[in-house]
Amino acid sequence: MTRGFSRDGELLSQQLYSRMPASMSDRMNKAFAALTACPEYSELLVLGDQGTAEVLVKTRAIEVKGVEGRTYGYERTVMDRELRSPTRTMTIAVTRGWTTVMLTGAPDFVKEALEPALRKATQ
């Protein structure tokens, strides 16, 4: 199940998965290893009729502290080639038993929404 939220121009995506813990742990390990395998790369964006734009993407694994369960964290920073202000997004996934909650969005929004999302999903 996927839900989307927005607040003051910030977006948050929340995904909920249910699967045997060992299977989900293996899938999350592989997914987050792939997301952080290349710490810096270029990405080509297609802008419809306006052509394309190349951006620089930097990724890094992050530690998720203070949360019960198996945790995974990843931060992605995107900068356009004119080096205007970068855009950061964070993805955090937490597995508790059969349930995994994954949030992606602005770092502060993700941190704020994590505990309520976990509480609601695991009640």
Side-chain angles (χ1 to χ4, degrees), residues 4-26:
F5 305 92
S6 66
R7 176 188 72 192
D8 299 328
E10 293 181 326
L11 301 174
L12 177 73
S13 169
Q14 177 180 320
Q15 297 172 315
L16 181 63
Y17 301 96
S18 181
R19 187 175 277 271
M20 290 182 61
S23 172
M24 186 54 73
S25 181
D26 184 50

Side-chain angles (χ1 to χ4, degrees), residues 3-119:
R3 301 269 308 171
F5 305 92
S6 66
R7 176 188 72 192
D8 299 328
E10 293 181 326
L11 301 174
L12 177 73
S13 169
Q14 177 180 320
Q15 297 172 315
L16 181 63
Y17 301 96
S18 181
R19 187 175 277 271
M20 290 182 61
S23 172
M24 186 54 73
S25 181
D26 184 50
R27 288 171 182 250
M28 287 291 122
N29 281 334
K30 288 177 182 175
F32 278 80
L35 290 170
T36 58
C38 188
E40 187 173 306
Y41 59 91
S42 294
E43 192 172 88
L44 189 63
L45 304 176
V46 178
L47 305 171
D49 294 343
Q50 298 177 347
T52 61
E54 187 176 351
V55 295
L56 175 66
V57 179
K58 293 184 178 186
T59 64
R60 68 183 183 99
I62 57 172
E63 188 175 337
V64 181
K65 296 181 181 181
V67 177
E68 180 187 327
R70 176 101 173 142
T71 62
Y72 309 86
Y74 151 79
E75 185 176 81
R76 183 175 194 262
T77 303
V78 178
M79 290 176 280
D80 64 19
R81 289 295 178 191
E82 286 77 41
L83 299 176
R84 286 179 260 173
S85 62
T87 302
R88 288 186 336 142
T89 57
M90 177 183 286
T91 299
I92 293 178
V94 178
T95 299
R96 290 184 181 167
W98 289 66
T99 304
T100 297
V101 174
M102 186 182 320
L103 301 176
T104 301
D108 289 341
F109 204 177
V110 169
K111 290 175 188 173
E112 181 182 320
L114 184 59
E115 277 300 328
L118 286 167
R119 200 170 31 255

